[in-house]
Each structure stands twice: as structure tokens, then as C-alpha cells.
Amino acid sequence: MRVLLTGHQGYLGTVMAPVLAAAGHEVVGLDAGLFADCVLGPAPADPPGHRVDLRDVTAEHVAGVDAVIHLAALSNDPLGSLAPELTYDINHRASVRLARLARDAGVRRFLYASTCSVYGAAGGDDLVAEDAPLRPVTPYAESKVRVEDDLHVLADGDFTPVYMRNATAFGYSPRLRADIVLNNLVGHALLSGEVLVLSDGTPWRPLVHAADIARAFTAALTAPREAVHDRAFNIGSEANNVTVAEIAGQVAEAVDGAKVVITGETGADPRSYRVDFSRFRAAIPGFDCEWTVKRGALELADAYGRYKLTREDFERRFTRLAVLRAASDAGAVDDTLRWRP
């Protein structure tokens, strides 16, 4: 299958591309390249691809493609809240435009990287399944809800959108992100000796390793149409529904000498939810996540040490908001995050 993978030079795309290739698919990438240089360790071998802004995609980019895996987005809550209209422009409007172009070009399957943060303020200890009310509390999560709604309208007998609501990702990727919870806490622990938690530690977080996300998308790509057509799936494992304080404890066990420090200075986080992941396992018999939080913390600690992570890299090169601010300050991108000529 010829697969267009948007965001192939991002944190998840860099892990997913070789998994797709190993499954026998021909992968074509599409990425603006904003984070292409955020590499820790050996440089990844990218598939051939298009260096293009998602907002500038044309019919030519989806011609001859059997399926689209759409990861590209302004990704995470602080970044989305910094420029909400830009988030909606890229994450919502450009995503729906891509889907329309794909459908018109005869693409039959469109796997959309949504997020469990659409449940946002679900609260409580009950597991939330895909039919639970959506309560996004950030522009990032709201943009994902809007795309799901618009893709549902596009679904027909020839075009199958699938909404992959990923739990919060973790784990090593050659293109690292340090601004997601487990990756961040392990970095702080190694660099300072403290597992620093700014909230009160009580919010629930569902976590999933980047490699398990890649495996899930690869499985959904060839699943029977009736099993996945126009359906939402939570991607993750119930075993990885953990509180932020529990995550911190796992990190302290993985990093020798690290101590948990819960400051509570940001108070209780309204984003708290435990997630039911059984629907995807039922749709894809035999699939289950392989990575635990503890194993991921050990993997990250090993990679950070082996590749000599520095505080400068941790706080700037591997934090999305800092990367974009640096590019803007240097005049490399304009106010809309487009590359300047």
C-alpha cells in the first residue's frame, strides 16, 4: 500500500515511518520541517517526501496514494493556547482540506491522529469510552473534536476516516520531544536529581508509547473496513492509566538518586481522565500495547544518558514552543509559522 504520512519528521512520525515500511508499505512523507533538526542520537533515515506546509497541500501530493496517515499538527496544549487561531487554521481547517483532497483523489482510508484529551474535564475514576461526552478544555483538543466532526461528514462508501484518539505519548524517538509528561519528568530527574511535578499530582493521565501508537496505526491501516469505518478508537492500555504522582514515582525508580518533588504550584489540573481502550482491541484481535510506563522511563533514562542530553537541549531544542519561538526570533518563520523565503 502506498501511504502518505504527514508529520513524518515529527516525534511520532519518525517512529512510525520505519514500522510502516517494515510492514511492507511504501511510505511517502509530508512535513513542513519545523522540527526536522530536533534530533537526539543518530540521524533518522526519513522516507522520501514533500517539504510543504500542511496549509499548502495540493491534489498533486495525494495523487496515487492508497491511504493517508495524518499526524501533522501544532501539537500540545501550551502551543495551541499561545495562538488559538493558528491552531484552528492548521490543525482543523488544513486537516479537513487535506481529507477532502484525499477523498477526491480516490484515497480510500484516512487515519487521523486525534487525542484522548478530547475528554478533557471528564474527571472521576470511571473509565471513559469513545461514546463518552467530549469536554475539551484547550484549543488543541477542541481542534481535534472539530476535525473528527468534519471527517464524519466526508465518510462514504469509498472513503473511510478513522479517528485514532491517542493517549499521551511517551518514549524515545530520534526526534525527541521533552514537553510531554514522562519524557519531561525523566529529563528533569537526570539533569537536576528531582522529579519535578508542578501540579498537585492527582490528575489521571492515560499514557502510550510512541512505538505502540505506530503499531496501532499500522494495524488500522489494513483492518477490515467494517471494523474501523468512521469510528473513533482510544489508543493505549488501561494499565497505563496513571496519576501524575504515580508517573513521578516510576521515574524516581528509573533514575538513581532522583527524588519526587510535588510543588502543587499550578493547582489541580482540570484535564483528568481514565480511559477505556477495549474497543480497539475488539476491532483488531490480537493487538495490545507492549510498553509500560516503567519500561518507558528506563528507556528514556538510558537514551538521555547515552546521547548526553544537556539542559540547553532539553529546555530549548526538544521543547516545541521554544523551538518555534527561536525560529521566529531568528526571522526564519513569520507570524503564521511559515518559513520565510
Side-chain angles (χ1 to χ4, degrees), residues 184-185 188 195-201 244 261-269:
N184 183 267
L185 292 178
H188 268 296
V195 188
L196 185 62
V197 177
L198 300 182
S199 74
D200 62 7
V244 174
V261 177
I262 298 179
T263 70
E265 61 191 74
T266 60
D269 192 326

Side-chain angles (χ1 to χ4, degrees), residues 90-319:
I90 295 172
N91 290 11
H92 174 214
R93 288 182 281 271
S95 295
V96 176
R97 181 172 171 274
L98 169 67
R100 288 197 184 99
L101 287 170
R103 185 189 64 171
D104 292 347
V107 173
R108 300 189 66 83
R109 191 159 297 190
F110 190 96
L111 304 187
Y112 176 59
S114 189
T115 173
C116 283
S117 65
V118 297
Y119 305 117
D125 291 338
D126 293 336
L127 294 177
V128 292
E130 290 82 354
D131 55 358
L134 304 185
R135 298 188 176 99
V137 296
T138 64
Y140 171 72
E142 175 64 30
S143 73
K144 296 293 187 178
V145 173
R146 292 184 185 187
V147 174
E148 287 192 22
D149 288 344
D150 288 346
L151 291 181
H152 170 69
V153 175
L154 296 178
D156 60 25
D158 297 315
F159 184 70
T160 292
V162 188
Y163 322 116
M164 306 285 279
R165 294 177 181 168
N166 300 318
T168 298
F170 68 87
Y172 172 71
S173 165
R175 287 192 175 93
L176 185 69
R177 284 186 60 185
D179 52 5
I180 42 184
V181 61
L182 185 64
N183 298 11
N184 183 267
L185 292 178
V186 173
H188 268 296
L190 280 169
L191 293 168
S192 71
E194 293 183 345
V195 188
L196 185 62
V197 177
L198 300 182
S199 74
D200 62 7
T202 61
W204 286 99
R205 285 287 182 277
L207 302 187
V208 63
H209 195 284
D212 283 327
I213 293 175
R215 292 174 52 246
F217 274 73
T218 303
L221 197 61
T222 55
R225 178 182 180 276
E226 60 273 15
V228 297
H229 178 73
D230 194 28
R231 299 186 74 192
F233 295 100
N234 297 328
I235 305 300
S237 167
E238 287 84 359
N240 289 341
N241 280 319
V242 284
T243 67
V244 174
E246 288 171 338
I247 299 170
Q250 296 278 24
V251 173
E253 292 182 14
V255 179
D256 288 342
K259 297 181 179 179
V260 176
V261 177
I262 298 179
T263 70
E265 61 191 74
T266 60
D269 192 326
R271 299 167 300 166
S272 182
Y273 40 89
R274 297 176 68 233
V275 178
D276 182 341
F277 299 99
S278 60
R279 177 186 286 185
F280 192 70
R281 292 193 299 270
I284 312 291
F287 180 86
D288 207 351
C289 290
E290 297 178 349
W291 284 81
T292 63
V293 174
K294 183 174 183 178
R295 182 183 170 198
L298 290 167
E299 176 204 35
L300 287 162
D302 176 71
Y304 290 174
R306 185 169 5 118
Y307 300 129
K308 297 178 172 56
L309 179 72
T310 67
R311 183 171 294 279
E312 174 75 11
D313 283 343
F314 179 69
E315 294 178 350
R316 297 182 182 274
R317 200 154 62 92
F318 302 128
T319 297

